[in-house]
Amino acid sequence: MRKLAAIMFTDIVGYSALMSKDESLALQVLDKNREIQMAALRQFNGEFIKEIGDGTLSIFQSSWDAVSCALEIQKITGKSSMTLRIGIHMGDVVISENDVFGEGVNIASRIESLGKPGCIFVSERVYEDMKNKKGFKAEYVGEKSLKNINHTVRIYSITTGKPGTEIAELIVSDLTDKKEKSIVVLPFDNLSPDPDQEYFSDGLTEEVISDLSNVRSLRVISRSSAMTFKGTKKKIPEIAREVNVQYVLEGSVRKAGNSLRITAQLIDAASDAHLWAEKYSGTLDDVFDVQEKVSRSIVAALKLKLTPEESQKIAERPIDNVAAYQCYLKANAEIWRFNKSSLDSALDHLQKGLDILGDNALLYSAMAFVYWQYVNIGAGQEAYIAEAEKHAQKALALDPESPQAHFIIGMINGWVYGNVRAHIRQLKMALAVNPNYVDALILLAGLSTMSVGKLAAAIPFVQRVRQIDPLDPWNYWLQGRLFFFDGQYKLAVEQFRQHYQFDPENLVVRFFYAWTLAYAGQIDEAFSIIDHSAQAAPNSVFTKFGLLLKYGLLKNREEAFGEMTPDFERTCRRDHQWSYIVATLLALIDARRESLDWLENAVERGFINYPELERNPYLDNIREEERFKKLIERVKYEWEHFEV
């Protein structure tokens, strides 16, 4: 018999792993799941068809019954330790001998397999049946190609059960692949008679990290986490535990005049045994050969097989002149100090390198980064942006794959020209060359979370940062934003609090902590942090954001508008995220026209976070305005059709 039915598949998350660890407990979980589902099926007129391992197949007469049943199941299992995935599709089925067949069954099964823990994924047909029902809310996931289905299917997600299940699991989970080999390269000790030669030992450390990062089968801890161990007295096993790696490379550099002596040793952290050690003596002209030998020796000691592309990347020498190379290393050391005098010095070193070498992609991309950092610290505006773009384009003309140049062009596309799609595209191009480019990963996570409201897309980027840069406190910031833009303000506060404790003088960290405290209802603590920033750095953009938040909550229009100086407005209008923040805070003081002006600017420049606009309580004063209603329709359409 053929009929139209709503088909529901369910699956217990992590059941196979549980079965391998505790068969008795797994069978108890299976019995409990069966009991919950049978009760829900009776309540919503469902027909149980069969169990498939730890999954189930059921059918219903309507989408309403199927979704209501799924919601009930997720509500009950959400109170237990059991987590389910559920997929639903409405389509034709053939019923034969207490079983069902047909393409509709296959589609429902594939939809369920794509699902996230604690969620219900439904096809567009089910969404269309349900979208006008009271209390029904869904998020567009995307248009997907399903195995053995000859057409794409548009899928929507109904997030239920334990709020933020997937995000909460991300925060506490161990994300490492136990089969993947992993290493941290400790900062090489500077044994040179001149302590000012430390830039050279640090540079060698970074170059080895960069070489090894080209090996896809090896997880390499990034520079920022590795550098936290500089001068440490911690033992090797302790260091390895902190960054969750199997192997540690340590070494030293002695540079005197043109003479060079480098030692390196690879240690198995579990046994504290040396797997390989070597000493290299020669001149500065040998430094490039030494770097390559160290990297290849590590690969050989770990019994890793290089692809031809990986071997070529390790052999590449972006700068093959020792004098120019030293200029680059000196500049790099200055860039990391993030102040104007250091950036001035970095530019001088890079220009000397260009004078020696002529046109060079690495030197030009480094100059682009320096000019962009002037803008970031507020030491320059339009002229420096133009210089950053000019030098990045020069780098790309010489090396179309330059990751840093793609990164800078992406930043300019996103923050200056308001083209979020181009920003994301350039960041992905940078990651295609260097998958461990932490700054690009952080920005992609930030754009996915705040700018376009695609939390599921942000999670892999956040996970990768945690894997390769585990000691960076900005991990708390990333995770806090995930919770914040999921509407879980109290959980977000805990993440931002930990970041604030690491870096209490950072104005960016202060503002986001205060902002989140305010949304969580902890107003007095938010005001205390804002007042501290106002005393320390009254002209900072982030201080002004904080004061706008304070005056908005106090409904003090005069003081709020007093913070809206021409320079502040000019800076914020070219940034879609900052424009959104200003729009939100002006809505608090019921400055409707001005708030909508800023919100429209944010959207024009790429802000399409539809869930955030729907959820944000600070926008309630403008929600009934016709301009807002028209804007939300546009944002919803763009958000539904946007994929990171």
Side-chain angles (χ1 to χ4, degrees):
M1 180 178 68
R2 180 180 294 274
K3 64 181 286 188
L4 184 66
I7 308 117
M8 180 179 81
F9 274 89
T10 75
D11 172 65
I12 302 173
V13 177
Y15 184 80
S16 297
L18 178 61
M19 190 70 174
S20 66
K21 291 180 182 177
D22 190 334
E23 185 175 336
S24 176
L25 178 59
L27 292 174
Q28 291 177 37
V29 168
L30 201 61
D31 288 341
K32 184 64 176 177
N33 179 49
R34 189 182 300 118
E35 176 187 331
I36 291 169
Q37 294 209 32
M38 290 302 181
L41 287 166
R42 287 193 296 270
Q43 184 178 352
F44 295 101
N45 307 309
E47 180 181 349
F48 178 79
I49 301 299
K50 61 181 178 182
E51 283 185 306
I52 310 162
D54 60 300
T56 67
L57 166 60
S58 305
I59 61 173
F60 301 79
Q61 293 182 6
S62 70
S63 296
W64 172 260
D65 284 337
V67 171
S68 298
C69 182
L71 287 167
E72 179 66 14
I73 291 169
Q74 293 288 37
K75 176 183 175 182
I76 296 171
T77 57
K79 297 175 182 177
S80 69
S81 59
M82 190 191 315
T83 303
L84 266 62
R85 275 187 289 260
I86 299 179
I88 303 172
H89 173 62
M90 172 67 78
D92 284 329
V93 297
V94 176
I95 301 176
S96 175
E97 297 181 359
N98 298 319
D99 205 346
V100 293
F101 307 94
E103 185 180 69
V105 177
N106 294 334
I107 291 174
S109 174
R110 303 298 182 213
I111 290 173
E112 180 273 313
S113 68
L114 292 173
K116 303 295 184 182
C119 293
I120 303 164
F121 272 24
V122 302
S123 66
E124 185 173 35
R125 173 67 185 274
V126 175
Y127 172 77
E128 289 296 328
D129 289 344
M130 295 291 297
K131 67 180 181 181
N132 294 321
K133 304 292 185 184
K134 185 177 179 181
F136 174 79
K137 288 188 177 181
E139 294 182 1
Y140 180 62
V141 173
E143 190 167 344
K144 304 295 182 181
S145 296
L146 306 180
K147 185 178 179 182
N148 297 329
I149 304 299
N150 60 11
H151 57 87
T152 58
V153 177
R154 290 165 64 85
I155 297 174
Y156 293 77
S157 171
I158 310 166
T159 305
T160 61
K162 304 169 187 176
T165 298
E166 188 176 7
I167 297 172
E169 287 179 352
L170 163 68
I171 305 304
V172 301
S173 62
D174 176 5
L175 301 171
T176 56
D177 180 351
K178 302 305 180 185
K179 296 179 182 178
E180 180 185 46
K181 292 184 177 179
S182 51
I183 188 171
V184 59
V185 179
L186 297 183
F188 279 62
D189 291 330
N190 175 35
L191 303 183
S192 305
D194 181 1
D196 288 341
Q197 297 298 316
E198 195 161 299
Y199 76 88
F200 192 86
S201 56
D202 286 349
L204 181 62
T205 305
E206 292 181 42
E207 293 301 311
V208 173
I209 290 173
S210 178
D211 274 356
L212 293 176
S213 295
N214 290 314
V215 184
R216 301 294 176 113
S217 57
L218 181 65
R219 179 168 58 87
V220 184
I221 298 302
S222 72
R223 174 202 185 279
S224 57
S225 285
M227 283 296 175
T228 62
F229 297 110
K230 191 170 183 177
T232 186
K233 301 299 182 185
K234 293 179 179 178
K235 298 190 178 300
I236 293 297
E238 184 182 358
I239 291 171
R241 282 194 299 272
E242 280 195 42
V243 291
N244 202 7
V245 297
Q246 299 162 292
Y247 305 102
V248 176
L249 180 74
E250 63 177 3
S252 63
V253 180
R254 180 180 177 84
K255 178 175 172 286
N258 197 44
S259 299
L260 187 65
R261 182 181 176 86
I262 296 173
T263 67
Q265 51 191 5
L266 180 66
I267 303 164
D268 184 327
S271 61
D272 207 11
H274 288 62
L275 301 180
W276 163 84
E278 192 62 81
K279 295 179 181 178
Y280 304 92
S281 297
T283 67
L284 281 178
D285 293 328
D286 301 318
V287 67
F288 304 114
D289 289 332
V290 172
Q291 286 175 194
E292 184 176 344
K293 285 177 182 177
V294 170
S295 299
R296 291 189 184 278
S297 296
I298 293 167
V299 169
L302 297 182
K303 297 180 172 61
L304 299 171
K305 186 176 181 180
L306 293 176
T307 67
E309 180 186 13
E310 291 169 345
S311 183
Q312 180 183 345
K313 284 185 175 293
I314 289 177
E316 284 177 358
R317 297 177 180 179
I319 298 177
D320 58 4
N321 177 285
V322 171
Y325 176 66
Q326 290 191 87
C327 290
Y328 170 74
L329 294 184
K330 290 176 181 177
N332 207 35
E334 295 289 353
I335 290 171
W336 287 104
R337 294 190 171 96
F338 296 117
N339 60 65
K340 186 178 183 303
S341 62
S342 294
L343 293 175
D344 291 343
S345 179
L347 273 187
D348 287 341
H349 289 307
L350 291 170
Q351 187 57 57
K352 287 176 184 175
L354 286 168
D355 292 341
I356 295 168
L357 201 58
D359 290 343
N360 179 270
L362 185 60
L363 294 176
Y364 279 136
S365 67
M367 291 187 90
F369 189 66
V370 171
Y371 280 115
W372 186 255
Q373 287 303 106
Y374 277 119
V375 179
N376 278 342
I377 67 171
Q381 291 289 338
E382 280 77 6
Y384 286 87
I385 293 170
E387 288 294 322
E389 185 171 18
K390 180 178 78 174
H391 286 85
Q393 293 292 5
K394 283 185 176 182
L396 288 175
L398 295 167
D399 177 11
E401 291 192 338
S402 169
Q404 194 170 61
H406 281 300
F407 178 82
I408 297 299
I409 293 297
M411 296 285 284
I412 292 169
N413 277 323
W415 305 133
V416 179
Y417 300 137
N419 190 337
V420 173
R421 281 181 170 82
H423 193 176
I424 290 173
R425 183 169 60 250
Q426 292 287 340
L427 292 175
K428 285 190 169 184
M429 291 173 75
L431 287 174
V433 181
N434 179 7
N436 292 338
Y437 197 159
V438 172
D439 287 345
L441 289 165
I442 288 174
L443 270 176
L444 274 169
L447 289 167
S448 302
T449 304
M450 182 173 183
S451 303
V452 300
K454 298 287 186 177
L455 301 190
I459 287 175
F461 302 126
V462 178
Q463 289 175 331
R464 188 60 183 163
V465 175
R466 280 188 62 195
Q467 288 170 339
I468 63 175
D469 201 6
L471 301 186
D472 190 339
W474 285 92
N475 278 295
Y476 294 122
W477 186 77
L478 289 175
Q479 293 162 176
R481 281 164 69 98
L482 278 173
F483 277 131
F484 183 93
F485 289 103
D486 197 38
Q488 300 184 75
Y489 304 126
K490 290 183 179 179
L491 293 176
V493 162
E494 294 309 310
Q495 295 298 316
F496 283 115
R497 177 176 284 123
Q498 291 186 73
H499 194 184
Y500 177 71
Q501 289 170 348
F502 264 99
D503 196 2
E505 299 308 311
N506 187 308
L507 296 173
V508 179
V509 176
R510 277 189 204 163
F511 167 69
F512 279 106
Y513 182 35
W515 197 35
T516 309
L517 283 166
Y519 275 83
Q522 300 176 44
I523 306 299
D524 290 342
E525 190 174 353
F527 284 0
S528 174
I529 292 168
I530 291 166
D531 291 342
H532 178 48
S533 290
Q535 292 176 356
N539 295 319
S540 163
V541 167
F542 288 97
T543 296
K544 288 183 176 294
F545 283 157
L547 290 170
L548 279 174
L549 172 62
K550 177 179 178 179
Y551 298 139
L553 291 169
L554 294 173
K555 310 302 179 188
N556 190 329
R557 292 171 62 95
E558 184 178 353
E559 293 287 359
F561 279 114
E563 297 300 326
M564 302 286 291
T565 61
D567 282 347
F568 174 75
E569 290 199 23
R570 183 181 60 170
T571 298
C572 292
R573 281 199 183 278
R574 68 170 178 240
D575 185 302
H576 64 276
Q577 291 188 359
W578 292 7
S579 291
Y580 172 68
I581 291 171
V582 173
T584 298
L585 302 178
L586 290 179
L588 275 176
I589 56 170
D590 206 22
R592 301 185 186 191
R593 179 179 59 80
E594 293 87 348
S595 174
L596 285 163
D597 287 344
W598 280 95
L599 189 56
E600 286 171 350
N601 185 66
V603 173
E604 286 296 328
R605 302 187 75 79
F607 187 88
I608 57 167
N609 191 339
Y610 172 69
E612 168 66 8
L613 293 179
E614 283 278 280
R615 179 191 302 117
N616 190 345
Y618 288 3
L619 296 176
D620 286 349
N621 284 335
I622 62 172
R623 223 171 269 289
E624 296 305 315
E625 297 288 324
E626 285 303 314
R627 286 172 66 188
F628 183 85
K629 291 178 181 179
K630 287 180 66 175
L631 198 62
I632 201 83
E633 285 182 14
R634 170 187 167 181
V635 169
K636 181 181 180 183
Y637 178 84
E638 293 189 19
W639 176 77
E640 288 181 341
H641 292 81
F642 189 93
E643 288 196 32
V644 177

Coordinates of all heavy atoms in Angstrom, one line a residue, residues 309-360:
E309 N 54.0 17.4 -2.3 CA 53.7 18.8 -2.0 C 54.2 19.2 -0.6 O 54.8 20.3 -0.5 CB 52.1 19.0 -2.0 CG 51.7 20.4 -1.7 CD 50.2 20.6 -1.6 OE1 49.5 19.6 -1.5 OE2 49.8 21.8 -1.6
E310 N 54.1 18.4 0.4 CA 54.6 18.7 1.7 C 56.2 18.8 1.7 O 56.8 19.7 2.3 CB 54.2 17.6 2.7 CG 52.7 17.6 3.0 CD 52.2 16.4 3.8 OE1 53.0 15.4 3.9 OE2 51.1 16.5 4.4
S311 N 56.8 17.9 0.9 CA 58.3 17.9 0.8 C 58.7 19.2 0.2 O 59.7 19.8 0.6 CB 58.7 16.7 0.0 OG 60.1 16.7 0.0
Q312 N 58.0 19.6 -0.9 CA 58.3 20.8 -1.6 C 58.2 22.0 -0.7 O 59.0 22.9 -0.7 CB 57.4 21.0 -2.8 CG 57.7 22.3 -3.6 CD 56.8 22.4 -4.8 OE1 56.1 21.5 -5.2 NE2 56.8 23.6 -5.3
K313 N 57.1 22.1 0.2 CA 56.9 23.2 1.0 C 58.0 23.3 2.1 O 58.5 24.4 2.4 CB 55.6 23.1 1.7 CG 54.4 23.5 0.8 CD 53.1 23.5 1.5 CE 52.0 24.0 0.6 NZ 52.1 25.4 0.2
I314 N 58.5 22.2 2.6 CA 59.6 22.2 3.6 C 60.9 22.7 2.9 O 61.7 23.4 3.6 CB 59.8 20.8 4.2 CG1 58.6 20.5 5.1 CG2 61.1 20.7 5.0 CD1 58.7 19.1 5.7
A315 N 61.0 22.4 1.7 CA 62.2 22.8 0.9 C 62.2 24.3 0.5 O 63.2 24.9 0.2 CB 62.5 21.9 -0.3
E316 N 61.0 24.9 0.5 CA 60.9 26.3 0.0 C 61.7 27.3 0.9 O 61.7 27.1 2.1 CB 59.4 26.7 -0.1 CG 58.7 26.1 -1.3 CD 57.2 26.5 -1.2 OE1 56.8 27.1 -0.3 OE2 56.5 26.1 -2.2
R317 N 62.2 28.3 0.2 CA 62.9 29.3 1.0 C 62.4 30.7 0.5 O 62.9 31.3 -0.5 CB 64.4 29.2 0.7 CG 65.0 27.9 1.2 CD 66.4 27.7 1.0 NE 66.9 26.4 1.5 CZ 68.2 26.0 1.4 NH1 69.1 26.7 0.7 NH2 68.5 24.8 1.9
P318 N 61.4 31.2 1.2 CA 60.8 32.5 0.8 C 61.8 33.6 0.8 O 61.7 34.6 0.0 CB 59.7 32.8 1.8 CG 59.4 31.4 2.4 CD 60.7 30.6 2.3
I319 N 62.9 33.5 1.6 CA 64.0 34.5 1.6 C 65.3 33.6 1.6 O 65.5 32.9 2.6 CB 64.0 35.4 2.8 CG1 62.7 36.2 2.9 CG2 65.2 36.3 2.9 CD1 62.5 37.1 4.1
D320 N 66.1 33.8 0.6 CA 67.3 32.9 0.5 C 68.6 33.7 0.7 O 69.7 33.2 0.5 CB 67.3 32.2 -0.8 CG 67.3 33.1 -2.0 OD1 67.4 34.3 -1.8 OD2 67.3 32.6 -3.1
N321 N 68.4 35.0 1.2 CA 69.6 35.8 1.5 C 69.7 36.0 3.0 O 68.7 36.4 3.7 CB 69.5 37.1 0.8 CG 70.6 38.1 1.2 OD1 70.7 38.6 2.2 ND2 71.5 38.3 0.2
V322 N 70.8 35.6 3.6 CA 70.9 35.6 5.1 C 70.7 37.0 5.7 O 70.1 37.2 6.7 CB 72.3 35.0 5.5 CG1 72.5 35.2 7.0 CG2 72.3 33.5 5.2
A323 N 71.3 38.0 5.1 CA 71.2 39.4 5.6 C 69.7 39.8 5.6 O 69.2 40.4 6.6 CB 72.1 40.3 4.8
A324 N 69.1 39.6 4.5 CA 67.7 40.0 4.4 C 66.8 39.1 5.3 O 65.8 39.6 5.9 CB 67.2 39.8 2.9
Y325 N 67.2 37.9 5.5 CA 66.5 37.0 6.4 C 66.6 37.5 7.8 O 65.6 37.5 8.6 CB 67.1 35.6 6.3 CG 66.5 34.6 7.3 CD1 65.1 34.2 7.2 CD2 67.3 34.0 8.3 CE1 64.6 33.2 8.1 CE2 66.8 33.1 9.2 CZ 65.4 32.7 9.1 OH 64.9 31.8 9.9
Q326 N 67.7 38.0 8.2 CA 67.9 38.6 9.6 C 67.0 39.8 9.7 O 66.5 40.1 10.8 CB 69.3 38.8 9.9 CG 70.2 37.6 10.0 CD 71.6 37.9 10.6 OE1 71.8 37.9 11.8 NE2 72.5 38.1 9.7
C327 N 66.9 40.6 8.7 CA 66.0 41.8 8.7 C 64.6 41.4 9.0 O 63.9 42.0 9.8 CB 66.1 42.6 7.4 SG 67.7 43.4 7.2
Y328 N 64.2 40.3 8.3 CA 62.8 39.8 8.5 C 62.6 39.3 9.9 O 61.6 39.6 10.5 CB 62.6 38.7 7.5 CG 61.3 37.9 7.7 CD1 60.0 38.5 7.5 CD2 61.3 36.7 8.3 CE1 58.9 37.8 7.7 CE2 60.1 36.0 8.6 CZ 58.9 36.6 8.3 OH 57.7 35.9 8.6
L329 N 63.6 38.6 10.5 CA 63.4 38.0 11.8 C 63.4 39.2 12.8 O 62.6 39.2 13.8 CB 64.6 37.1 12.2 CG 64.6 35.8 11.4 CD1 65.8 34.9 11.9 CD2 63.3 35.0 11.5
K330 N 64.2 40.2 12.7 CA 64.2 41.4 13.6 C 62.8 42.1 13.5 O 62.3 42.5 14.5 CB 65.3 42.3 13.2 CG 66.7 41.8 13.6 CD 67.8 42.8 13.1 CE 69.2 42.3 13.4 NZ 70.2 43.2 12.9
A331 N 62.3 42.2 12.3 CA 61.0 42.9 12.1 C 59.9 42.1 12.8 O 59.0 42.6 13.4 CB 60.7 43.1 10.6
N332 N 59.9 40.8 12.6 CA 58.9 39.9 13.2 C 58.9 40.0 14.7 O 57.8 40.0 15.3 CB 59.2 38.5 12.7 CG 57.9 37.7 12.7 OD1 56.8 38.2 12.4 ND2 58.0 36.4 13.1
A333 N 60.1 40.1 15.3 CA 60.2 40.2 16.7 C 59.5 41.6 17.2 O 58.9 41.6 18.2 CB 61.6 40.2 17.2
E334 N 59.7 42.6 16.4 CA 59.1 43.9 16.8 C 57.6 43.9 16.6 O 56.9 44.5 17.4 CB 59.8 45.0 15.9 CG 61.2 45.2 16.1 CD 61.5 45.9 17.5 OE1 60.6 46.3 18.2 OE2 62.7 46.0 17.8
I335 N 57.1 43.3 15.5 CA 55.7 43.3 15.3 C 54.9 42.7 16.4 O 53.8 43.2 16.8 CB 55.4 42.5 14.0 CG1 55.9 43.2 12.7 CG2 53.9 42.2 13.8 CD1 55.8 42.4 11.5
W336 N 55.4 41.7 17.1 CA 54.7 41.0 18.2 C 54.6 41.9 19.4 O 53.9 41.6 20.4 CB 55.4 39.7 18.5 CG 55.1 38.7 17.5 CD1 55.9 38.2 16.5 CD2 53.9 37.9 17.3 NE1 55.3 37.2 15.7 CE2 54.1 37.1 16.2 CE3 52.6 38.0 17.9 CZ2 53.1 36.2 15.7 CZ3 51.6 37.1 17.4 CH2 51.8 36.3 16.4
R337 N 55.3 43.1 19.4 CA 55.2 43.9 20.6 C 54.0 44.9 20.6 O 53.6 45.5 21.6 CB 56.5 44.8 20.7 CG 57.7 43.9 21.0 CD 59.0 44.7 21.4 NE 60.0 43.9 21.9 CZ 61.0 43.4 21.1 NH1 61.1 43.7 19.9 NH2 62.0 42.6 21.6
F338 N 53.4 45.0 19.4 CA 52.1 45.7 19.2 C 52.1 47.1 19.8 O 51.2 47.5 20.5 CB 51.0 44.9 19.8 CG 50.7 43.6 19.1 CD1 50.9 42.4 19.8 CD2 50.4 43.5 17.8 CE1 50.7 41.2 19.2 CE2 50.2 42.3 17.2 CZ 50.4 41.2 17.9
N339 N 53.1 47.9 19.5 CA 53.1 49.4 19.9 C 53.7 50.1 18.7 O 54.4 49.6 17.9 CB 53.8 49.7 21.2 CG 55.2 49.3 21.2 OD1 56.0 49.9 20.4 ND2 55.6 48.3 22.0
K340 N 53.5 51.4 18.7 CA 53.8 52.2 17.5 C 55.3 52.2 17.2 O 55.8 52.1 16.1 CB 53.3 53.7 17.6 CG 53.6 54.5 16.3 CD 53.0 55.9 16.4 CE 53.2 56.6 15.1 NZ 54.6 56.7 14.7
S341 N 56.1 52.4 18.3 CA 57.6 52.5 18.1 C 58.1 51.2 17.6 O 59.0 51.2 16.7 CB 58.3 52.9 19.4 OG 58.0 51.9 20.4
S342 N 57.6 50.1 18.1 CA 58.0 48.8 17.6 C 57.6 48.6 16.1 O 58.4 48.0 15.3 CB 57.4 47.6 18.4 OG 57.9 47.7 19.7
L343 N 56.4 49.0 15.8 CA 56.0 48.9 14.4 C 56.8 49.8 13.5 O 57.2 49.4 12.3 CB 54.5 49.3 14.2 CG 53.5 48.3 14.9 CD1 52.1 48.9 14.8 CD2 53.6 46.9 14.3
D344 N 57.2 51.0 13.9 CA 58.1 51.8 13.2 C 59.4 51.1 12.9 O 60.0 51.1 11.8 CB 58.4 53.1 13.9 CG 57.2 54.0 14.0 OD1 56.2 53.8 13.2 OD2 57.2 55.0 14.9
S345 N 60.0 50.4 14.0 CA 61.2 49.7 13.8 C 61.1 48.5 12.9 O 62.0 48.3 12.1 CB 61.6 49.2 15.2 OG 62.8 48.5 15.1
A346 N 59.9 47.8 12.9 CA 59.7 46.7 12.0 C 59.7 47.2 10.6 O 60.3 46.5 9.7 CB 58.3 46.1 12.4
L347 N 59.1 48.3 10.3 CA 59.1 48.8 8.9 C 60.5 49.1 8.4 O 60.8 48.8 7.3 CB 58.2 50.1 8.8 CG 56.7 50.0 8.6 CD1 56.1 51.3 8.4 CD2 56.4 49.1 7.4
D348 N 61.3 49.7 9.3 CA 62.7 50.0 8.9 C 63.4 48.7 8.6 O 64.2 48.6 7.6 CB 63.4 50.7 10.1 CG 63.0 52.1 10.3 OD1 62.4 52.7 9.3 OD2 63.2 52.7 11.4
H349 N 63.3 47.7 9.4 CA 64.0 46.4 9.1 C 63.5 45.8 7.8 O 64.3 45.3 7.0 CB 63.7 45.4 10.3 CG 64.4 45.7 11.6 ND1 65.8 46.0 11.6 CD2 63.9 45.9 12.8 CE1 66.1 46.2 12.9 NE2 65.0 46.2 13.6
L350 N 62.2 45.8 7.6 CA 61.7 45.2 6.4 C 62.1 46.0 5.1 O 62.4 45.4 4.1 CB 60.1 45.2 6.4 CG 59.5 44.2 7.5 CD1 58.0 44.4 7.6 CD2 59.8 42.8 7.1
Q351 N 62.2 47.3 5.2 CA 62.7 48.1 4.1 C 64.2 47.8 3.8 O 64.6 47.7 2.7 CB 62.5 49.6 4.4 CG 62.9 50.5 3.2 CD 62.0 50.1 2.0 OE1 60.8 50.1 2.0 NE2 62.7 49.8 0.9
K352 N 65.0 47.6 4.9 CA 66.4 47.2 4.7 C 66.4 45.8 4.0 O 67.3 45.6 3.1 CB 67.1 47.1 6.0 CG 67.4 48.5 6.6 CD 68.0 48.4 8.0 CE 68.2 49.8 8.7 NZ 68.7 49.6 10.1
G353 N 65.5 44.9 4.3 CA 65.5 43.6 3.7 C 65.2 43.8 2.2 O 65.8 43.1 1.4
L354 N 64.2 44.6 1.9 CA 63.9 44.9 0.5 C 65.0 45.5 -0.3 O 65.3 45.2 -1.5 CB 62.6 45.7 0.4 CG 61.3 45.0 0.7 CD1 60.2 46.0 0.9 CD2 61.0 44.0 -0.3
D355 N 65.8 46.4 0.4 CA 66.9 47.1 -0.2 C 68.0 46.1 -0.6 O 68.7 46.2 -1.6 CB 67.5 48.1 0.7 CG 66.6 49.3 0.9 OD1 65.7 49.5 0.1 OD2 66.7 50.1 1.9
I356 N 68.1 45.0 0.2 CA 69.1 44.0 0.0 C 68.7 43.0 -1.1 O 69.4 42.7 -2.0 CB 69.4 43.2 1.3 CG1 70.0 44.1 2.4 CG2 70.3 42.0 1.0 CD1 70.1 43.5 3.8
L357 N 67.4 42.6 -1.0 CA 66.9 41.5 -1.8 C 66.1 41.9 -3.0 O 66.0 41.2 -4.0 CB 66.0 40.6 -0.9 CG 65.7 39.2 -1.3 CD1 67.0 38.4 -1.4 CD2 64.8 38.5 -0.2
G358 N 65.6 43.1 -3.0 CA 64.6 43.5 -4.1 C 63.2 43.0 -3.8 O 62.9 42.6 -2.6
D359 N 62.3 43.0 -4.7 CA 61.0 42.5 -4.5 C 60.9 41.1 -3.9 O 61.6 40.2 -4.4 CB 60.2 42.5 -5.8 CG 59.9 44.0 -6.4 OD1 60.1 44.9 -5.6 OD2 59.6 44.1 -7.5
N360 N 60.1 41.0 -2.8 CA 60.0 39.7 -2.2 C 58.6 39.6 -1.5 O 58.2 40.5 -0.8 CB 61.0 39.6 -1.1 CG 60.9 38.2 -0.3 OD1 60.3 38.1 0.7 ND2 61.6 37.2 -0.9

